[in-house]
Amino acid sequence: MKIKISQILIVLLCFYLIFGIYLLDASFDRILRIFRFITLPILILIIFALTPKIKLIRLKKLIWLGLPILLLFFINLLQLFAIPKDAIETHITGSIKFTAWFGTYLCSLLSLNPTSALQYKKYISNVLLIIFLIGVATYPIIMISSGISLSTVLAGYGAAEDRVQNSGLFGSANEDANGLMTLFPIALVFLEQVEGNKKIIFKFVLFSFFPFLLLYNGTRTTLLFTLPVILVLFYSKLSLKGLVRLLLMGATPLLLSVPFIATFIDKAFASNTGGKGDSYAWRLTEVWTPAIEYTEKYSPIFGFGSRGWE
């Protein structure tokens, strides 16, 4: 049986998606490093094999899509001269991971045709949907094993002390929330493809449990802002007139709620540990501003690479 290049790339893409999950990445770190390094020459051969077969007009369009990847790779190389010696190994590991990921993406662009495009869409969407479902399904286990009740999480929600955050598949509370919200639209697309009573049941389960999951997760931005925005964007077909009307309708309650929002933000970014860590003011004055000033002084063009600050 003849194996097509697109089939190899689909396997690689799905592999990287699955083993990009924190729990798997951390468990198989050394094996994954070796595997990514081995795939680099294979990807180079694929690029050389595919490029001559592409028409010049299409190749010019693809160059613009691949240019940001090549620029990032070039910057990664230049950062080797800017980062501390102790961070070089970590930077190279991160660079190989980045190169393998985006090299596979670039090869996928070169191999696109009507058939391969449908295959990429089908397999990648299914893998991402499975990751989302597993991520959601782990939370009942987390709730039982942690012994932390929802009332305990709510009691510390936005408080200055004892804020509770829970994490599962992606390794930390914020990464869990970001990962699940990134994959959430794929679940919505799947819901729209289901029909009948099955669609009603799936939608009820998702919309009743998913906000509860984010609430139990303990993060703030995803529940208060990202989830409503995604739902509005996904289920609303707004014309310019409709958008203006929505903004006008939302302006009044938004203005009335400014004092409440300011109070909540002040609490939500308050510290867990005596005025440090989670305080927005502390982050701004003690971390972000000094980091920007240090970068401007010592490496304004290339930065410090992957974890070069360490």
Side-chain angles (χ1 to χ4, degrees):
M1 184 177 68
K2 187 177 180 180
I3 299 177
K4 297 180 179 179
I5 289 178
S6 61
Q7 293 173 331
I8 297 173
L9 294 172
I10 287 171
V11 171
L12 280 177
L13 285 169
C14 293
F15 179 88
Y16 285 141
L17 286 172
I18 293 169
F19 284 92
I21 298 170
Y22 172 80
L23 294 179
L24 295 175
D25 195 1
S27 301
F28 300 96
D29 179 59
R30 188 176 296 275
I31 297 173
L32 291 174
R33 289 185 190 185
I34 296 171
F35 179 80
R36 292 186 191 109
F37 185 75
I38 291 173
T39 58
L40 293 182
I42 298 173
L43 293 173
I44 293 172
L45 289 174
I46 290 175
I47 290 173
F48 279 115
L50 290 174
T51 304
K53 300 178 181 179
I54 301 173
K55 293 181 179 179
L56 184 60
I57 297 177
R58 182 163 173 260
L59 189 60
K60 288 180 179 178
K61 294 179 181 179
L62 292 175
I63 286 174
W64 291 107
L65 292 173
L67 187 61
I69 300 171
L70 297 176
L71 288 175
L72 285 172
F73 177 71
F74 183 62
I75 291 172
N76 264 251
L77 291 177
L78 293 176
Q79 283 174 337
L80 287 171
F81 300 97
I83 63 177
K85 290 182 179 179
D86 295 341
I88 288 179
E89 183 180 348
T90 305
H91 176 70
I92 291 175
T93 301
S95 298
I96 291 174
K97 183 177 183 179
F98 150 79
T99 306
W101 253 114
F102 286 100
T104 307
Y105 167 73
L106 185 60
C107 289
S108 301
L109 286 178
L110 294 173
S111 68
L112 279 182
N113 57 55
T115 303
S116 64
L118 291 175
Q119 290 176 335
Y120 287 133
K121 180 181 177 181
K122 175 185 175 182
Y123 287 102
I124 292 173
S125 298
N126 287 341
V127 168
L128 292 175
L129 180 62
I130 291 170
I131 293 173
F132 174 80
L133 294 175
I134 294 174
V136 170
T138 56
Y139 265 80
I141 301 172
I142 295 169
M143 294 173 190
I144 295 170
S145 61
S146 66
I148 301 172
S149 65
L150 180 61
S151 59
T152 303
V153 178
L154 291 175
Y157 214 88
E161 296 179 355
D162 302 322
R163 184 157 61 91
V164 179
Q165 290 186 315
N166 297 288
S167 62
L169 197 63
F170 297 94
S172 72
N174 286 326
E175 292 300 327
D176 259 29
N178 292 335
L180 291 173
M181 286 310 306
T182 301
L183 300 176
F184 182 56
I186 296 175
L188 295 179
V189 171
F190 171 76
L191 276 179
E192 292 305 303
Q193 296 173 350
V194 180
E195 297 180 353
N197 293 332
K198 194 181 293 185
K199 179 176 182 176
I200 297 172
I201 295 171
F202 285 170
K203 185 175 287 190
F204 174 78
V205 171
L206 182 63
F207 289 169
S208 60
F209 180 69
F210 194 61
F212 171 81
L213 177 155
L214 293 176
L215 194 62
Y216 190 82
N217 171 266
T219 52
R220 300 155 295 204
T221 306
T222 49
L223 182 66
L224 295 172
F225 300 104
T226 313
L227 180 61
V229 167
I230 286 179
L231 289 174
V232 168
L233 290 175
F234 191 85
Y235 286 107
S236 299
K237 295 179 180 179
L238 294 175
S239 60
L240 180 60
K241 183 178 178 181
L243 181 60
V244 172
R245 187 183 303 165
L246 181 64
L247 291 174
L248 291 175
M249 289 173 60
T252 302
L254 182 63
L255 290 173
L256 293 174
S257 62
V258 165
F260 168 78
I261 293 173
T263 303
F264 178 82
I265 290 175
D266 183 59
K267 287 176 63 181
F269 283 92
S271 166
N272 294 7
T273 53
K276 295 183 179 180
D278 278 346
S279 167
Y280 171 75
W282 184 88
R283 293 179 185 182
L284 185 64
T285 57
E286 302 296 328
V287 180
W288 297 338
T289 301
I292 292 170
E293 291 175 349
Y294 189 85
T295 303
E296 288 177 345
K297 184 176 180 180
Y298 293 103
S299 186
I301 298 176
F302 306 124
F304 289 94
S306 176
R307 296 173 68 178
W309 294 105
E310 297 181 4

